[in-house]
Amino acid sequence: MKLHEYQSKQIFAKYGIPIPKGRVAATASEAKAIAEELGGRVVIKSQVLVGGRGKAGGVKLAKDADEAEQLATQILAMEIKGLPVRKVLVDEAAAIETEIYFSITNDRAARKPVMIASAAGGVEIEEVAAKTPEKIVKVHVDPLLGLRDYQARDIAASIDLPRDYWKDFNKIAAGLWKVYTETDATLAEINPLVITKDKRLIALDGKMMIDDNALFRHADLAEMRDVDEEAAAETEARKYGLSYIKLDGNIGCMVNGAGLAMTSMDIVKLFGGEPANFLDIGGGAGSDKVAAAMKIILSDPNVKAVLFNIFGGITRCDEVARGILVAMDEVKPKVPMVVRLVGTNAEEGRKLLADAKMITAETLADAAKKAVAAAKGKAK
Ligand code: GDP
Ligand code: MN
């Protein structure tokens, strides 16, 4: 789960990381009122769950409250990378001297959290990594020992942070480490962490991602989820306990079991197709869940064919077939559908689907081939 900048910064502040004064607003007049409170010179920042807002025109400086109102009006009418702006953060403007990049994330290959820092902050870190990788410093943190003071000092030295700021940087590093571990984050990022002209070190931007699997023990964080800013299909999938990830291809895949789902996607690719999604309906899915899954798959306009690969164990093929029928009745799909049912109650399942005008397949390879052909408009 991604958190907004204003949410991330509120969490940072709780852990002693300095942030600018400011508040979030949903209307231009609220933005104006906040700007007045803050003394006029503010920055208006779109709150959308994507990076690069600055470049897209979603971060603007205002010299007084009236300009803040104007800019908020503009920004609240924007769409950034396809996401509508519904809120703006109005922060006291900072006079920036230096922009630093600083984050903690999980390094899967090293099986450890890693602190990443760079003196080339402000811009997206992927850009720095691509053009000037030597400007990025990485320090792995042992999850059992936690962040050690010397590691924070190492980072400060490696990014040539002036000595005067080392003590404050140490506190910020320790705070960010606590944020990362205590919230079960997969990313805690400050970009930029700035040195201001009046010699303060503050987190001007904040970004956090929380491990969805840990949300059960963070009711306060789970509440912060902004469903308006998520892909509708993913919200819907979560409601039904489905694991769904949208991809860029055109063959919708409905499979039971994550391993089988990945295998099915591989086989689709093997035969020259591109999966439109990953979807695991889970073990023992009933017809309502199947119907929900099918609606989610078909809500993607790229989908040109759907492949069902159901290996019935705990999941009963007749239940799946019933779910397919319910969904077909409701959504009236226009795309061809290829179905492979094997295992528990497969025979009953096939009988139920006999009149449903679906393309049937015996093996996974056969099913994938037929789905690829169907997506290319070559189905009978
Ligand atoms: P992002 O583009 O989504 O990462 O949004 P940021 O919050 O990082 O803002 C982008 C850039 O806008 C920063 O790197 C700064 O250069 C600039 N910026 C943001 N806030 C301020 C501010 O208070 N004062 C000044 N002078 N620049 C700011
Ligand atoms: Mn940023």
Side-chain angles (χ1 to χ4, degrees):
M1 176 181 83
K2 288 180 186 168
L3 293 183
H4 281 295
E5 173 192 8
Y6 76 93
Q7 297 168 325
S8 307
K9 276 154 78 172
Q10 277 163 10
I11 296 173
F12 291 173
K14 273 191 212 151
Y15 287 84
I17 299 170
I19 59 164
K21 276 200 203 106
R23 272 207 333 268
V24 77
T27 65
S29 53
E30 271 180 72
K32 183 182 180 181
I34 298 169
E36 269 161 5
E37 268 173 52
L38 295 174
R41 292 185 56 85
V42 291
V43 56
I44 308 287
K45 313 183 75 179
S46 52
Q47 298 299 289
V48 281
L49 298 173
V50 286
R53 295 164 305 162
K55 261 194 209 156
V59 177
K60 293 252 166 72
L61 287 164
K63 60 180 181 314
D64 56 36
D66 286 329
E67 196 182 3
E69 186 178 24
Q70 274 171 32
L71 292 173
T73 307
Q74 258 178 42
I75 293 176
L76 283 165
M78 284 176 73
E79 228 180 54
I80 298 178
K81 299 183 187 170
L83 296 171
V85 180
R86 291 193 168 86
K87 283 179 191 153
V88 289
L89 175 63
V90 183
D91 264 359
E92 187 178 59
I96 302 176
E97 197 160 274
T98 312
E99 301 194 46
I100 295 162
Y101 176 92
F102 189 36
S103 74
I104 307 179
T105 186
N106 199 20
D107 182 345
R108 285 167 190 262
R111 291 179 287 172
K112 274 178 194 166
V114 61
M115 277 203 152
I116 303 172
S118 174
V123 290
E124 278 179 72
I125 195 69
E126 290 81 3
E127 212 177 300
V128 184
K131 288 183 192 151
T132 47
E134 71 282 358
K135 286 190 184 156
I136 296 179
V137 183
K138 290 185 185 176
V139 173
H140 286 97
V141 182
D142 186 309
L144 299 178
L145 297 175
L147 179 76
R148 318 305 290 179
D149 278 355
Y150 76 87
Q151 293 181 305
R153 278 198 302 276
D154 265 1
I155 294 172
S158 308
I159 59 169
D160 293 323
L161 186 74
R163 281 263 178 186
D164 290 350
Y165 297 102
W166 283 26
K167 212 171 139 208
D168 288 342
F169 181 79
N170 240 318
K171 273 194 207 145
I172 291 171
L176 200 65
W177 171 253
K178 268 194 116 178
V179 167
Y180 179 80
T181 50
E182 289 184 11
T183 64
D184 287 309
T186 54
L187 174 73
E189 182 187 82
I190 307 175
N191 186 27
L193 172 68
V194 300
I195 302 180
T196 60
K197 294 225 155 67
D198 56 355
K199 311 286 168 215
R200 289 178 303 143
L201 203 53
I202 53 176
L204 224 55
D205 189 10
K207 181 172 168 185
M208 287 184 67
M209 279 160 72
I210 310 290
D211 185 346
D212 282 321
N213 294 313
L215 283 176
F216 73 94
R217 56 184 185 191
H218 299 288
D220 52 332
L221 297 174
E223 246 173 49
M224 291 184 178
R225 189 188 287 277
D226 185 353
V227 278
D228 287 345
E229 292 285 338
E230 281 184 337
E234 285 176 23
T235 312
E236 199 56 20
R238 194 171 46 256
K239 200 165 92 192
Y240 285 94
L242 301 159
S243 311
Y244 170 86
I245 294 162
K246 188 187 160 351
L247 300 168
D248 297 328
N250 61 6
I251 299 177
C253 299
M254 163 131 63
V255 188
N256 64 317
L260 190 60
M262 286 190 275
T263 309
S264 305
M265 291 159 72
D266 281 348
I267 306 284
V268 162
K269 284 178 137 239
L270 185 69
F271 290 111
E274 283 296 331
N277 65 278
F278 167 91
L279 194 150
D280 168 16
I281 61 170
S287 58
D288 54 331
K289 211 168 167 181
V290 174
M294 192 154 138
K295 280 184 236 164
I296 290 165
I297 291 178
L298 292 170
S299 70
D300 175 354
N302 292 336
V303 168
K304 295 287 178 281
V306 182
L307 166 64
F308 296 84
N309 183 26
I310 304 298
F311 194 94
I314 302 170
T315 305
R316 290 166 34 197
C317 292
D318 58 321
E319 273 290 318
V320 173
R322 269 187 208 99
I324 294 175
L325 291 175
V326 168
M328 283 178 88
D329 204 41
E330 274 181 46
V331 220
K332 310 252 185 298
K334 289 175 194 71
V335 299
M337 298 202 261
V338 181
V339 60
R340 173 192 183 230
L341 295 177
V342 284
T344 312
N345 295 0
E347 211 36 62
E348 288 89 325
R350 280 188 213 121
K351 267 185 209 146
L352 283 167
L353 293 178
D355 297 328
K357 286 193 195 143
M358 298 181 88
I359 302 164
T360 53
E362 290 297 316
T363 65
L364 175 51
D366 185 33
K369 262 188 233 168
K370 285 176 172 163
V372 173
K376 289 180 181 155
K378 291 177 190 156
K380 290 179 277 305

